[in-house]
Amino acid sequence: MNLSLVALRLPEEDDGLVSFLTSNSFPFHVGRTPSMDEARRRIESGSFADDEQQTFWLVDQELGRVGFIRLEDLADDTPMFDLRLADEHRGRGLGVPALRAAADHIFTTLGVNRFEGCTRADNLPMRRTFEKAGWVQEAHFRQAWPVQGEPPADAVNYSILRQDWESGSRTPTAPLGGNGVHHIEVWTHDLAGTEASFGWLMTALGWPLVEQDWEQGRSWQHPSGAYLCWSSPRP
């Protein structure tokens, strides 16, 4: 897949951005689905375009506009991002090219050495996206992610370095001890049967099922943060 970054034009595209934000759900974001008034207030406050923020539509050659990525903290040494895909385009492998396109833009237009991203610890599809795009997990923050109407969730931080972007390699973090297990992924051609056979066992062993919108797999996470993922191979 080949995704292009197309600069969001404000105020000309205010209505299009409001429509996108209010017609899709974002369960792992702090602002899940804003109201129209909330979305317009965010736009008017400069959250999508000012000296430190710049927003781009993500455009696929075949699918057209599939979401947006907002680049944040552009005046700092370590910019970050907010990625949002439309409901209908999730689970189609678009996250990896989106991150790669964003890294290309950051490292070719800014003289920074690091590009960071943060997500909820239970957002396993996004964590796999980071890993497949060559990013490295650097931190796990306990109860650091606000969740409306619920206790705060844990958060995890990833980054990609300029040297890794240039070489296509991955610079690991220094080991901190322990067994070092991050996750195990197992492919199965019978996902429903696997869940019925092993799901109860994982829960009994203290690995609860992670609630997520992911049709191709199921994940159980240990309290340590390690997780086991059963997934169906793509056809």
Side-chain angles (χ1 to χ4, degrees):
M1 293 182 179
N2 186 13
L3 284 183
S4 300
L5 301 185
V6 178
L8 174 69
R9 295 176 294 107
L10 298 177
E12 294 89 343
E13 295 188 288
D14 280 8
D15 290 344
L17 181 55
V18 169
S19 176
F20 179 86
L21 288 169
T22 57
S23 62
N24 293 283
S25 61
F26 306 101
F28 289 106
H29 286 72
V30 175
R32 296 183 175 183
T33 303
S35 67
M36 293 186 67
D37 288 342
E38 291 171 335
R40 291 196 182 278
R41 281 197 297 269
R42 289 190 61 195
I43 294 172
E44 292 170 0
S45 69
S47 295
F48 294 92
D50 62 13
D51 293 340
E52 294 202 21
Q53 275 81 228
Q54 189 175 12
T55 304
F56 296 87
W57 293 116
L58 296 168
V59 181
D60 180 80
Q61 288 182 333
E62 297 181 359
L63 301 173
R65 185 181 293 175
V66 297
F68 74 73
I69 189 163
R70 180 167 61 99
L71 304 179
E72 308 170 346
D73 302 330
L74 296 178
D76 295 347
D77 293 335
T78 304
M80 300 185 71
F81 71 88
D82 174 17
L83 170 65
R84 303 199 186 213
L85 295 175
D87 291 336
E88 63 183 306
H89 295 304
R90 293 176 200 155
R92 305 177 72 168
L94 292 167
V96 172
L99 289 192
R100 289 175 176 163
D104 289 347
H105 178 81
I106 287 293
F107 290 124
T108 56
T109 60
L110 300 177
V112 298
N113 186 53
R114 293 166 45 80
F115 186 25
E116 286 189 6
C118 191
T119 190
R120 275 174 47 168
D122 57 349
N123 188 357
L124 300 186
M126 187 63 203
R127 294 180 68 173
R128 279 189 290 273
T129 295
F130 275 123
E131 293 157 8
K132 291 178 181 178
W135 295 51
V136 174
Q137 182 180 340
E138 295 182 332
H140 187 117
F141 304 105
R142 296 175 299 167
Q143 299 182 15
W145 193 279
V147 181
Q148 185 175 4
E150 300 177 20
D154 286 7
V156 286
N157 188 81
Y158 289 78
S159 80
I160 184 170
L161 302 179
R162 177 178 289 275
Q163 66 190 46
D164 293 345
W165 170 75
E166 291 175 339
S167 66
S169 61
R170 191 192 309 253
T171 302
T173 58
L176 297 177
N179 59 20
V181 175
H182 181 266
H183 75 280
I184 300 173
E185 183 167 358
V186 182
W187 285 11
T188 175
H189 288 282
D190 183 7
L191 183 59
T194 298
E195 182 175 8
S197 299
F198 291 96
W200 69 271
L201 177 61
M202 299 305 298
T203 302
L205 292 174
W207 295 58
L209 177 68
V210 177
E211 296 294 334
Q212 57 190 6
D213 183 15
W214 185 40
E215 296 180 356
Q216 291 80 31
R218 298 291 183 272
S219 299
W220 289 264
Q221 189 168 32
H222 189 266
S224 68
Y227 62 90
L228 172 67
C229 168
W230 291 88
S231 61
S232 299
R234 289 185 177 274

